[in-house]
Amino acid sequence: MFHRVFEQYQRARTQFVQAVAELATRPQNIETLQNAGVMALLRPLLLDVVPNIQQTAAMALGRLANYNNDLAEAVVKGDILPQLVYSLAEQNRFYKKAAAFVLRAVAKHSPQLAQAIVNCGALDTLVICLEDFDPGVKEAASWALGYIARHNAELSQAVVDAGAIPFLVLCIQEPETALRRIAASALSDVSKHSPELAQTVVDAGAIAHLAQMIFNPDAKLKRQVLSALSQIAKHSVDLAEMVVEAEIFPVVLTCLKDSDEYVKKNAATLIREIAKHTPELSQLIVNAGGVAAVIDCIGCCKGNVRLPGIMMLGYVAAHSENLAMAVILSKAIPQLAVCLSEEPEDHIKAAAAWSLGQIGRHTPEHARAVAVANVLPVLLSFYMASESAEDLQVKVLPHDPKARRLFVTSGGLKKVQEIKAEAGSLLQEYINTINNCYPEEIVRYYSPEYSEALLERVENYQPVL
């Protein structure tokens, strides 16, 4: 009799957690579950004597916390975290995966929630999980650590201080592709905030292992690897040189031809982050055929995937006359002109305008190369378009003498004077902004009435005999 009662009770608990876990997979059920006080009902089941009930309760909590900030906060306020952390160290691999999933689901929403996870002592336990024999446990722990680290430098530093980095570097060497992806992503999340944090990743020997994985056929892994190398290289010349020394060129250029859009974008971002630092690093990229490869990449993709490549051309050209000429000879200007005309997004047009400015600003020869591509009328039309973002307008006519001169010699300033704008209109403001870049007599010279006024003065002039 007693046996049957306990059996029924266990069956009921099992059915309950399984039903909640199932309901939590569908967004339309979340609010109803929340209103029914499901958090408080799940908490004691995390301590259940039956391991399967514990795991399913943790899984249900993770799914709920994953949905929104409120539910994640309910996990923190319901005092559920200490229980999870305690059990994370004690229980079997299924429970560990589920518990790490809850920690990740809570951490992802905000720095405050991620901090709550750090405060309850989760980091040490998650790092222990990185040593687990089960790849799924390592993966779940790597994921949670990455989600904590991605918010800010302080949280990243806490992950570093807990000793996670050497274990994450070991994880990227494991045979399981999924684990390698998540571990590479976590290293990227740690590296992005500061040179010091990136240096801890470098000191653990990450670069060599990441560089080898550029050859890997798995697109999702390549995305994360390229991202991690970008986040390391972006901070300083020294870090960028260390990435280059891992012999990523020319192999990284093959990623610009990858069928996966994110692999292309991340490869172009990595090349941009290296090129921006010094003329020497840019020259190395030019010598490896990097400029031509980036231009080809821009030509065969659209939208935001183009953006890092567009900017990379500007960074290379900005360093010196010779590098700008190398960019011109690689036929960058026609491709940037296409981006200016084709792209609907202002920030991409602005980047193309900026890069063209960097190419054209060195000498009259450079400026001519930009002018003959007929981009100035296009730039002018953007400047005049009232819906263009201010950022784009500011970059169209940079306050630099060569650009101002080019604007005059290409007929741009004359065109501006021919535009009829209402007094006080936005268009009139733009015209005034352009005119203010030039001396008053120059503006007058190019205004349509000037020649008539001049002839009138000639006719009315009384010579002194």
Side-chain angles (χ1 to χ4, degrees):
M1 176 66 183
F2 283 119
H3 180 62
R4 195 177 306 124
V5 169
F6 282 103
E7 214 172 67
Q8 283 174 335
Y9 179 45
Q10 183 175 320
R11 197 179 304 122
R13 297 197 314 279
T14 305
Q15 284 171 342
F16 173 74
V17 286
Q18 284 174 345
V20 171
E22 177 58 33
L23 288 166
T25 59
R26 289 188 286 282
Q28 64 268 30
N29 299 328
I30 298 299
E31 203 177 327
T32 315
L33 287 169
Q34 192 176 0
N35 294 341
V38 74
M39 292 291 189
L41 297 169
L42 287 170
R43 185 174 179 261
L45 297 175
L46 289 170
L47 300 163
D48 203 277
V49 291
V50 181
N52 192 39
I53 292 173
Q54 289 183 355
Q55 286 148 224
T56 315
M59 183 61 67
L61 275 169
R63 285 174 182 168
L64 290 163
N66 205 32
Y67 271 101
N68 62 37
N69 202 65
D70 291 350
L71 283 157
E73 279 187 353
V75 171
V76 175
K77 288 177 182 148
D79 216 22
I80 289 166
L81 292 178
Q83 184 50 52
L84 282 168
V85 173
Y86 169 76
S87 304
L88 194 60
E90 304 292 320
Q91 297 291 348
N92 66 30
R93 62 200 171 110
F94 301 107
Y95 185 89
K96 284 177 180 172
K97 278 189 263 192
F101 170 53
V102 183
L103 296 174
R104 168 185 127 209
V106 172
K108 86 170 192 182
H109 294 290
S110 71
Q112 293 75 20
L113 285 165
Q115 190 62 54
I117 290 183
V118 174
N119 295 346
C120 73
L123 290 181
D124 291 341
T125 318
L126 286 167
V127 171
I128 291 166
C129 288
L130 290 178
E131 297 180 76
D132 201 275
F133 71 93
D134 183 84
V137 173
K138 288 179 182 167
E139 188 187 325
S142 300
W143 217 328
L145 289 163
Y147 271 49
I148 293 164
R150 68 175 47 173
H151 291 293
N152 58 44
E154 291 73 30
L155 286 161
S156 261
Q157 191 61 55
V159 169
V160 170
D161 294 343
I165 305 304
F167 293 111
L168 287 168
V169 172
L170 286 172
C171 287
I172 61 172
Q173 299 168 60
E174 294 280 356
E176 292 80 17
T177 302
L179 172 56
R180 295 166 86 187
R181 277 183 207 152
I182 306 304
S185 173
L187 290 170
S188 178
D189 286 328
V190 171
S191 302
K192 71 181 181 183
H193 301 291
S194 72
E196 294 74 23
L197 285 161
Q199 191 65 54
T200 62
V201 172
V202 173
D203 291 344
I207 290 178
H209 299 294
L210 289 166
Q212 283 168 357
M213 286 191 278
I214 295 172
F215 291 97
N216 196 286
D218 182 78
K220 286 181 180 166
L221 176 56
K222 275 195 284 200
R223 287 179 196 174
Q224 302 302 345
V225 164
L226 293 164
S227 168
L229 290 169
S230 302
Q231 299 294 8
I232 292 167
K234 76 179 185 182
H235 294 291
S236 70
V237 176
D238 288 350
L239 288 165
E241 284 176 349
M242 284 178 183
V243 172
V244 170
E245 281 159 18
E247 296 180 0
I248 61 164
F249 290 103
V251 63
V252 75
L253 302 181
T254 61
C255 296
L256 294 169
K257 295 188 175 74
D258 202 275
S259 57
D260 185 278
E261 298 282 87
Y262 290 100
V263 170
K264 281 183 192 168
K265 186 182 178 189
N266 292 2
T269 302
L270 172 55
I271 297 165
R272 178 192 76 194
E273 297 298 9
I274 292 166
K276 75 180 184 186
H277 290 294
T278 64
E280 291 75 21
L281 284 166
S282 275
Q283 188 64 56
L284 185 145
I285 291 166
V286 170
N287 296 349
V291 171
V294 166
I295 293 166
D296 288 347
C297 176
I298 295 169
C300 64
C301 55
K302 295 271 184 288
N304 275 321
V305 181
R306 278 175 158 170
L307 190 57
I310 290 170
M311 293 185 70
M312 174 267 186
L313 296 172
Y315 279 127
V316 172
H319 286 303
S320 72
E321 287 179 22
N322 289 347
L323 284 163
M325 193 49 74
V327 171
I328 291 169
L329 295 173
S330 296
K331 311 270 194 298
I333 294 172
Q335 192 54 68
L336 289 168
V338 168
C339 295
L340 264 183
S341 307
E342 271 185 8
E343 287 296 335
E345 299 267 354
D346 272 349
H347 69 282
I348 301 174
K349 287 177 176 165
W354 174 78
S355 287
L356 285 163
Q358 299 308 314
I359 294 166
R361 72 186 176 88
H362 295 284
T363 69
E365 194 182 352
H366 290 79
R368 199 174 305 113
V370 175
V372 297
N374 210 27
V375 294
L376 290 167
V378 182
L379 288 169
L380 183 62
S381 69
F382 292 144
Y383 203 101
M384 295 307 149
S386 56
E387 66 271 13
S388 282
E390 201 175 311
D391 186 37
L392 177 56
Q393 291 149 6
V394 168
K395 287 187 168 84
V396 165
L397 195 64
H399 291 192
D400 119 4
K402 286 172 188 152
R404 288 202 293 272
R405 180 176 175 161
L406 185 61
F407 196 65
V408 172
T409 54
S410 67
L413 189 63
K414 185 169 185 287
K415 273 204 181 82
V416 169
Q417 308 317 312
E418 290 164 5
I419 293 166
K420 299 275 184 282
E422 283 180 42
S425 68
L426 199 57
L427 187 55
Q428 187 60 56
E429 269 182 52
Y430 295 151
I431 293 169
N432 294 344
T433 306
I434 293 175
N435 289 347
N436 288 339
C437 295
Y438 296 94
E440 197 182 329
E441 62 272 20
I442 298 291
V443 175
R444 252 205 322 273
Y445 177 79
Y446 283 106
S447 61
E449 302 85 35
Y450 182 75
S451 52
E452 283 174 28
L454 200 61
L455 286 170
E456 209 172 298
R457 278 177 62 192
V458 168
E459 282 172 19
N460 298 337
Y461 180 65
Q462 300 292 324
V464 179
L465 296 169

